[in-house]
Amino acid sequence: MIDVPRSKQFNDVYFSPQDGLAETRHVFLAGNELPEFWRGSENFTICETGFGTGLNFLAALKLWKEEPQYERPKELHFISFEKYPLSGAEIKQYLSHWQELEEELEELLAVYPDALDHGQCYVLDVIDGVRLSLIIGDVNEEMPKLEDGSLVDCWFLDGFKPSSNPDMWSETVFSNMARLSVAGAHFATFTVAGFVRRGLGEQGFEVRKVSGFGRKREMSVGTYNNM
Ligand SMILES: C[S@@+](CC[C@H](N)C(=O)[O-])C[C@H]1O[C@@H](n2cnc3c(N)ncnc32)[C@H](O)[C@@H]1O
């Protein structure tokens, strides 16, 4: 039985009770066309809204490790925002279920800080070639602080249901995504909420519906067309 964490603030689960890892692989990895999309890049940056338990990060880390060295980017940078950080002990409790992630979980916990302060960015060298920048605070306050530039190759939008957490799906987030995206950047998210799709569209993202995970019929993916 999977011990699925539930947020008190948002009355929502962190990942699918059915199989969170399979959901991550379907929605965020396949949804962003990984690993094919990172092949041939020297450096590749993923940016996530909502670090939570770190399940998405561990799945991306595992995928990168499994790729032949000549195909994967030399450096993988994973940036993630989190307003309500979990402790290392909580992350261990929630993710230990997946034996196939045991090694990656240990790698994360070995560098995960004991205390995480708001307004801070913790740059963690998780393994050689993979860096995690964990930014603690509200994404609406922290994302605008990232320096201008084509930084992000793909986006994992994972901030609880838009109906229960509209703040995570704001115009501030969408306009900063456009500001920080490389031309042709990908995004993927589990939601097909109309205001999210319109908000991304207004910022230059081409938005498509594809099959969702499990009982969710549809999800959204897309590409940033530089305006
Ligand atoms: C669905 S969970 C993320 C699941 C996560 N990706 C994982 O692998 O476990 C959404 C996360 O977004 C965080 N969050 C919600 N609102 C936020 C905000 N305004 N700014 C930053 N993080 C926020 C929550 O605390 C929660 O950890």
Side-chain angles (χ1 to χ4, degrees):
M1 181 69 180
I2 305 181
D3 185 10
V4 179
R6 174 175 279 277
S7 157
K8 289 191 204 81
Q9 284 95 351
F10 302 104
N11 189 27
D12 199 354
V13 285
Y14 279 68
F15 45 75
S16 163
Q18 206 180 324
D19 186 342
L21 179 56
E23 176 185 49
T24 288
R25 286 177 168 149
H26 178 86
V27 176
F28 298 107
L29 300 181
N32 273 300
E33 294 174 55
L34 295 176
E36 297 79 11
F37 187 48
W38 68 28
R39 292 192 180 141
S41 318
E42 270 286 294
N43 304 296
F44 193 87
T45 300
I46 297 172
C47 189
E48 174 183 57
T49 53
F51 186 72
T53 64
L55 178 60
N56 292 340
F57 169 69
L58 295 191
L61 170 62
K62 185 173 176 66
L63 184 66
W64 183 86
K65 284 165 60 176
E66 284 170 352
E67 281 271 277
Q69 278 194 13
Y70 61 88
E71 293 210 302
R72 70 186 186 197
K74 221 185 274 164
E75 310 236 315
L76 176 66
H77 186 195
F78 195 100
I79 303 170
S80 192
F81 297 89
E82 181 51 60
K83 188 171 179 182
Y84 305 101
L86 298 174
S87 67
E90 288 169 314
I91 289 178
K92 187 170 181 181
Q93 178 191 343
Y94 298 135
L95 300 188
S96 294
H97 163 80
W98 285 287
Q99 280 173 6
E100 61 179 301
L101 289 179
E102 195 178 347
E103 190 179 294
E104 289 73 24
L105 180 58
E106 265 174 36
E107 286 161 348
L108 171 65
L109 294 176
V111 294
Y112 196 79
D114 289 335
L116 292 157
D117 295 328
H118 273 238
Q120 297 295 315
C121 171
Y122 297 86
V123 181
L124 311 172
D125 285 314
V126 180
I127 57 168
D128 210 19
V130 181
R131 194 163 87 242
L132 168 65
S133 293
L134 189 52
I135 301 174
I136 305 301
D138 192 312
V139 68
N140 292 288
E141 285 167 29
E142 301 304 325
M143 204 192 273
K145 293 182 193 165
L146 293 184
E147 267 180 43
D148 273 353
S150 301
L151 173 71
V152 178
D153 296 284
C154 72
W155 295 91
F156 292 6
L157 302 181
D158 193 14
F160 290 132
K161 283 196 291 290
S163 53
S164 46
N165 188 17
D167 279 2
M168 199 62 152
W169 310 88
S170 65
E171 206 204 313
T172 302
V173 170
F174 302 148
S175 60
N176 278 281
M177 284 174 62
R179 182 177 69 82
L180 296 165
S181 286
V182 301
H186 288 183
F187 82 86
T189 179
F190 60 87
T191 185
V192 285
F195 80 93
V196 170
R197 298 163 52 76
R198 280 190 299 280
L200 287 164
E202 281 161 13
Q203 296 296 335
F205 288 88
E206 168 263 324
V207 184
R208 289 177 287 125
K209 281 185 188 171
V210 294
S211 297
F213 175 76
R215 275 173 286 161
K216 289 189 185 138
R217 204 159 53 88
E218 295 174 313
M219 55 176 257
S220 303
V221 300
T223 304
Y224 179 60
N225 296 316
N226 211 0
M227 293 203 293

